Amino acid sequence: MTYSTLDVRPRADRLVVAMNRPEVRNAIDDRMVAELHQLCGELEREPKILILTGTRLDGRGIFASGADIGQLKERSRDDALRGINSAIFNRIAALPMPVIAALDGWALGGGAELALAADFRIATRHLKFGQPETGLGIIAAAGGLWRLKEIVGPTVAKEILLAGRILDAGEALDLHLVSEVVEDPDGLIDAADALADRIAEQDPLAVRLSKQLFDMPASAHPAIDNITQAICFESEQKHARMQAFLDRRNNK
């Protein structure tokens, strides 16, 4: 598959994808949305871990500066009701295998909401994270209004959403918005790869099912857990991995 706004680097168990519109600070336009849908289709057909990152401009990192304001300005009520960005971010969040957002520099507006759709976020010390939508006369309608609150809590979320607060890397780490801060930007993808390596060591089926069940409503548990565990109990990987564990223990 060919991409013009994404730099896609496939590996055996993962895709490393860099948004690649540095001339507009990786603003998310209709073309990028279409290519992200294309990417999701590929990962839905052949599940792999996704590492999503940005690019550099004049030596400085940029994850994504937000939606393309030139296009956003021209969007109408009907465009809003289509949920152009929320639909793709929800699709990314629902991918079968985990998504890791590797954040360097600005992650604003739609860029922040894209990062929130990931399962994990790793950042450099240059991270600047915010939701400036209300300053532009709109709301953070692609996930920011609800995903942010779930992660950082309502008080800080309101400061970001209603008062324009921008978080730096240290604040994001303290608030568990990111799980790791990398001092050297050149080590960002290495850190994301290290996390992906740990995920790849697990049974892919168990990882996929655990991700699917994670956001289920409380009323679905424990019944859905029991049914899913029944699937796992019959898998070849369960027997092989448990036998390997017993063999290692018995050989000590």
Side-chain angles (χ1 to χ4, degrees):
M1 293 184 180
T2 59
Y3 297 90
S4 62
T5 69
L6 305 175
D7 176 16
V8 179
R9 289 161 273 171
R11 302 188 196 171
D13 58 4
R14 70 198 66 170
L15 286 183
V16 180
V17 177
M19 291 175 284
N20 191 24
R21 298 186 73 216
E23 69 282 358
V24 288
R25 294 177 172 82
N26 290 338
I28 301 168
D29 67 348
D30 290 344
R31 178 63 185 170
M32 186 182 287
V33 168
E35 292 188 2
L36 286 169
H37 276 295
Q38 180 176 312
L39 179 74
C40 285
E42 185 177 340
L43 290 171
E44 289 159 356
R45 289 187 296 272
E46 186 180 351
K48 292 183 177 183
I49 300 164
L50 171 61
I51 297 175
L52 187 61
T53 191
T55 51
R56 289 191 180 184
L57 178 66
D58 298 329
R60 301 188 67 178
I62 305 164
F63 181 68
S65 60
D68 190 301
I69 301 300
Q71 290 186 357
L72 199 60
K73 180 177 179 292
E74 301 305 319
R75 287 182 184 170
S76 66
R77 175 188 60 191
D78 290 340
D79 292 320
L81 293 173
R82 286 168 52 208
I84 296 169
N85 285 1
S86 61
I88 184 55
F89 298 165
N90 287 346
R91 191 175 182 185
I92 289 169
L95 284 171
M97 291 294 284
V99 178
I100 302 168
L103 311 174
D104 187 21
W106 294 103
L108 298 177
E113 291 173 306
L114 175 55
L116 292 172
D119 299 288
F120 304 95
R121 285 162 295 279
I122 295 174
T124 73
R125 57 190 174 86
H126 301 297
L127 174 68
K128 298 295 181 183
F129 182 98
Q131 302 279 179
E133 283 87 349
T134 53
L136 297 170
I138 58 174
I139 65 171
L145 284 174
W146 57 279
R147 285 196 175 104
L148 189 58
K149 177 175 63 176
E150 290 180 351
I151 296 169
V152 305
T155 300
V156 175
K158 285 179 179 178
E159 281 193 69
I160 295 169
L161 293 162
L162 309 182
R165 179 177 174 182
I166 303 292
L167 299 180
D168 62 24
E171 292 169 324
L173 183 64
D174 290 342
L175 291 163
H176 306 293
L177 179 65
V178 302
S179 57
E180 182 180 354
V181 173
V182 179
E183 283 298 314
D184 183 357
D186 290 336
L188 179 61
I189 298 302
D190 289 339
D193 271 328
L195 176 55
D197 289 342
R198 297 201 300 273
I199 296 168
E201 290 173 357
Q202 315 307 311
D203 171 35
L205 177 63
V207 170
R208 287 182 63 179
L209 294 174
S210 294
K211 179 174 175 177
Q212 285 187 326
L213 267 59
F214 190 84
D215 290 322
M216 289 279 187
S219 59
H221 304 281
I224 191 67
D225 304 331
N226 295 339
I227 294 168
T228 306
Q229 191 75 299
I231 296 170
C232 292
F233 275 8
E234 297 300 318
S235 74
E236 292 182 4
Q237 276 287 313
K238 175 253 189 178
H239 291 281
R241 285 171 176 267
M242 289 193 175
Q243 187 60 54
F245 173 85
L246 293 172
D247 291 344
R248 288 194 300 271
R249 188 182 66 181
N250 293 335
N251 289 332
K252 286 184 178 179

